[in-house]
């Protein structure tokens, strides 16, 4: 029985990015993070107060005494949403390299020969990889729209929607990174979701951990390859033998 926790896999990811032969596959995701993160973070800081004020406009007058609590929930929710949008954009750009990183990490963890993937093979695979990214985006939108609309429901929207949103976003962040090893083995998106749902709590916790470290300056620049390595380690232990 596997007793490893989500945090264990995250720490394993931190260790794996330093492994000889892996570091060169980490460079491109880090460069993508630096360029995109700096631009998006500046935009986020200029908009966060405006979004919080908009959210508080839906708070009834008799509940104004809860405004500080609701403000904290909104800031956390918007920050995690930003982390997801940020990771989605950077993952779309770095998807081919992240898939290659997951492939190399799996080979190391299983003791198998490292696949000889050539640049031309990577280029030919880009359309399929982008199609998979589109599947994840559609899945996200189909759940995000009703969740966002539920914020308009008095009381429920102000108290429960931010909490549900945090959980949903953590689940989506986990799916984003777990998808790389699954997709390398051509496992369908539907089957991947089914397998991950068996360990839903651990997968959501890993998503929360990744979200948390994405919000830490400097560390967020290397969080993408760490998350790919952590997800691949979980794949090897829990899911590789179920496909």
């Amino acid at each position: 029985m596997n007793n490893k926790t989500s945090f264990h896999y995250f720490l394993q990811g931190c260790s794996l990015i330093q492994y000889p032969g892996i570091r060169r596959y980490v460079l491109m995701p880090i460069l993508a993070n630096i360029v995109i993160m700096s631009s998006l973070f500046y935009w986020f800081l200029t908009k966060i107060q405006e979004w919080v004020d908009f959210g508080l406009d839906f708070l009834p007058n008799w509940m104004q005494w809860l405004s500080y609590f609701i403000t904290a929930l909104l800031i956390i929710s918007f920050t995690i949403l930003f982390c997801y949008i940020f990771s989605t954009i950077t993952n779309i750009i770095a998807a081919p390299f992240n898939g290659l990183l997951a492939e190399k990490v799996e080979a190391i963890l299983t003791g198998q020969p490292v696949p000889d993937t050539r640049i031309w093979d990577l280029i030919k695979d880009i359309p399929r990889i982008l199609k998979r990214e589109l599947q994840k985006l559609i899945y996200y939108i189909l759940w995000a729209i009703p969740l966002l609309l539920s914020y308009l429901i008095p009381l429920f929207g102000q108290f429960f929607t931010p909490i549900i949103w945090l959980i949903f976003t953590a689940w989506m962040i986990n799916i984003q990174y777990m998808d790389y090893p699954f997709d390398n083995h051509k496992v369908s998106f539907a089957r991947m979701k089914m397998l991950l749902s068996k360990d839903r709590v651990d997968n959501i916790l890993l998503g929360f951990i990744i979200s948390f470290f994405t919000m830490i300056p400097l560390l967020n620049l290397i969080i993408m390859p760490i998350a790919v390595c952590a997800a691949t380690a979980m794949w090897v232990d829990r899911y590789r033998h179920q496909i």
Side-chain angles (χ1 to χ4, degrees):
M1 182 177 178
N2 191 321
N3 294 318
K4 293 181 180 178
T5 65
S6 301
F7 192 67
H8 173 95
Y9 287 117
F10 181 80
L11 292 178
Q12 191 172 357
C14 295
S15 176
L16 282 166
I17 65 167
Q18 305 173 55
Y19 199 92
I22 290 294
R23 282 172 289 195
R24 64 178 179 270
Y25 298 105
V26 171
L27 181 60
M28 183 56 68
I30 288 178
L31 290 176
N33 264 0
I34 292 173
V35 173
I36 298 171
M37 184 68 176
S38 57
S39 302
L40 286 181
F41 189 66
Y42 173 78
W43 174 79
F44 175 74
L45 289 179
T46 63
K47 293 292 184 180
I48 182 65
Q49 186 60 55
E50 179 182 331
W51 296 338
V52 169
D53 292 340
F54 176 78
L56 290 176
D57 286 342
F58 291 94
L59 195 65
N61 290 332
W62 62 273
M63 292 180 61
Q64 290 300 318
W65 62 279
L66 284 173
S67 60
Y68 289 108
F69 173 72
I70 300 298
T71 297
L73 274 181
L74 288 173
I75 290 174
I76 294 172
S77 298
F78 286 132
T79 302
I80 292 185
L81 172 61
F82 164 76
C83 292
Y84 178 74
I85 293 174
F86 157 70
S87 66
T88 299
I89 294 173
T90 51
N91 273 303
I92 289 174
I93 295 173
F97 302 97
N98 285 337
L100 189 60
L101 173 60
E103 188 177 69
K104 304 302 181 184
V105 170
E106 182 179 344
I108 289 171
L109 292 175
T110 59
Q112 298 174 351
V114 177
D116 183 20
T117 304
R118 303 179 189 278
I119 294 295
W120 178 241
D121 296 326
L122 190 62
I123 294 173
K124 288 192 298 182
D125 217 24
I126 287 178
R128 184 190 61 80
I129 292 172
L130 293 180
K131 180 181 177 181
R132 184 74 166 215
E133 292 297 321
L134 182 61
Q135 280 184 293
K136 287 183 281 188
L137 182 59
I138 292 173
Y139 174 75
Y140 172 77
I141 291 172
L142 290 176
W143 281 98
I145 290 176
L147 267 178
L148 288 173
L149 290 176
S150 72
Y151 188 80
L152 303 178
I153 302 173
L155 299 183
F156 179 90
Q158 286 72 51
F159 279 100
F160 296 106
T161 297
I163 296 172
I164 297 172
W165 184 262
L166 296 182
I167 296 171
F168 169 66
T169 306
W171 169 249
M172 283 304 308
I173 287 175
N174 180 77
I175 282 180
Q176 180 71 61
Y177 290 105
M178 288 299 301
D179 189 53
Y180 293 117
F182 275 97
D183 189 41
N184 282 343
H185 290 270
K186 308 299 187 291
V187 179
S188 72
F189 187 62
R191 177 155 178 79
M192 179 191 72
K193 289 187 296 179
M194 184 271 291
L195 290 173
L196 293 181
S197 66
K198 294 180 180 180
D199 299 312
R200 193 182 299 274
V201 173
D202 282 347
N203 280 293
I204 289 174
L205 286 175
L206 183 58
F208 270 124
I209 293 168
I210 294 170
S211 299
F212 174 77
F213 285 100
T214 302
M215 293 183 279
I216 299 178
L218 298 183
L219 183 57
N220 53 23
L221 299 177
I222 61 170
I223 193 63
M224 183 188 294
I226 290 175
V228 173
C229 292
T232 305
M234 182 181 280
W235 149 267
V236 169
D237 285 349
R238 299 191 181 188
Y239 305 112
R240 186 168 62 97
H241 302 294
Q242 298 186 51
I243 63 171

